[in-house]
Amino acid sequence: MKDIKIAQKLIRKLIRKKYYSPKKLSLLKREFSKKYGCSLLSNITLIKAYRQLLKNKKITKNHKVLKLLRRRDVRTLSGVSIITVLTKPYQCPGNCIYCPSEKDMPKSYLKKEPAAQRAYLNKFDPYKQVQTRIKSLILTGHPVDKIEMIVLGGSWTAYPKKYKTWFIKRCFDACNHSTSKTLEQAQKKNEKAKHRIIGLSLETRPDLIDEKEALAMRKLGCTRVELGVQTIYPKILKKINRQATVEDTVKATKILKDFGFKIVYHLMPNLPGSTPVKDLKIFKTIFSDPRFQPDMLKIYPCVVLKTAKLYQQWQKKLYKPYSQKTLNKLLINIKKTIPPYVRINRLIRDIPSDCIEAGNKVTNLRQIIQKEYSHCQCIRCREAREKPVEKDIKFIKRVYQASKATEYFLSFESKDKKTLYAFLRLRLPNSLSAQTGKSARASHIAMIRELHTYGQSLSLPKRSSQRSSAVQTRLKAVQHLGLGKKLMKKAEKIAKQKSFQKIAVISGIGVRQYYRKLDYRLSQTYMVKKIK
C-alpha cells in the first residue's frame, strides 16, 4: 500500500513535468527511491497507481504515460491483443522425425516454451489459460478489448468433436467472464463483451482438411487456419515421414480459401535431404504457383531436439544442420521473395536455446536478420504501428490468381509503400463451381477474407462522444481514421463491377457489430450484404 501511494506521487510529477522518455522515468524512479527509502518502483506498480488515480478522478487519461509504462508495446501494435492457448496432450496422427514428443505435452510442444508453460501450469484448462493471459496483459498496461485467439497443440482436426466444442466455448466464456450453456450462447454474448474475440486461429495438417471440417471450423468461429506444410518436395516429405502430400496441401488451400479463411503455412527450411537452394525454391514456387499463395508464413528452420527421432540421426551423423552463416543468408534471400500481400508471422520458433541440441540457437535471429536486410516488404515489416499517418496516403490495388479465384489485396500505404496502414483481402471465384459452402452455392458471392487496420490497439469506445474524444486525444490514430470502411466500399465496388450479387465477410464473432453498422447481416456464420 505504501508503494502505491509513492507511485501515485511519482505519476503526478511525471505528468506535471511531462517526463515521457524512458531515461527521465528511470531518473525519477531513482529520485523517489532515495527520497522515500524504498526499492525502485516497477512499471506494473506504476500502472496500478495510474489506474487508481484515474478511477478516483485525480487525473485524466494520459496515453503517453501508459505507452511509457507498458511492457513490450509491440504485443498490441498490430491492432489486436494476441492470446495463445494450448489443447491437452492427445495422440497425433503423424509421426514426423523432427517433431518432439515431450511427456505430458501436446505433440511438438515443449514445457519451456512461454505459451506452453502457461498451458501446462493451468493443466490445459482453456478458461484458466485465457483468464491468466488477460490479467497479465492488463497488468502490464495493454488494452484487451480486441483479442485474436490462437489455439495450438498437435493437430486440431484430430481431437474429438465434443472436446473441440467445449474447448472453444470455454475460451469464449473466459472472455465473457460468464459461463454459457452452449457455444452459440457464448458467441452471442461475446458480440458485445468487454473482451471480444475478433479472430480465432486453429492449426492442423493439410491431409485432415475437407469441406465438412472447414464448415465445422466456421461454426466454432474460426477465421484463420495454420497448415503444417513444411515443404513441397515429395521426396523430403517421405524422408521426414510426413504423411501429408503436396496434393493434400493444394486441396486444403483451395477448400479453406473458398470458405474465406486466412491461411498460414508452416514451412521448415533445413530439413533432412534439403539444401539452401531447394529451400529458397520452395518460397519462390509458393508465390508464383497459384495453387499455393498463402496469406501468412511461420518459418521454422529445423532444429534437433532430444525427444525427436531426428536426434538419433544427428548422433549418427546422418543429419547435419546448416551453419549459422548459411542459415542467415538463406533467411535474407527468403525475405527477398516475399510479396507485399504476405505476412511473416514468425521467422524462428520460440524454443529456448538450452532445449536445442543442434541447429539455430540464436533467440533474437529475427532482429539480426532485420538489421542485415531492412528492405523486406512483408506486411509485418511494413505495419504502421506508432508511425504517424502521412497527409497524402495512397490507395493501392494488387491482383493475383490463387486456387481458381482472383484475389485482390487492397491497401492504404505511404507514398513510398514502406508503411502499411490498412488492408483488405477480397476473393472473387473465377466460376460458380469454385465456390464452397451452402451460402456460396446459393448465389454468386464475393468473399472478404480479411480486413485489418494497424496501429496500437485502442479500447473500444462505449459511446459516440467517447469515440470523438478518443480521436482528439490520439491525433491521427490509424484505427480511428475510417480506413477500414473506405476499403469495404472499394471492395463492394469491385464486386459490383464484376457482376457479383452478394458480398460476404468471414467475420470474427467479436467484430460482427462493426459489420452490422455497414449494413451486413448474419447468414450461416458469415456477415452478408446484397450488392445493389
Side-chain angles (χ1 to χ4, degrees), residues 28 81 88 96 184 187 223 265 310 360 395 399 434 451 473:
L28 206 56
S81 300
K88 68 179 181 180
C96 309
E184 290 75 18
Q187 289 176 335
T223 56
Y265 275 9
L310 185 61
N360 174 65
F395 169 70
V399 186
L451 174 65
T473 305

Side-chain angles (χ1 to χ4, degrees), residues 71 81 115 133 207 248 253 359 402 409 495 520:
R71 286 181 59 196
S81 300
R133 195 66 187 129
D207 54 319
D248 289 329
T253 299
F409 185 82
Y520 284 75

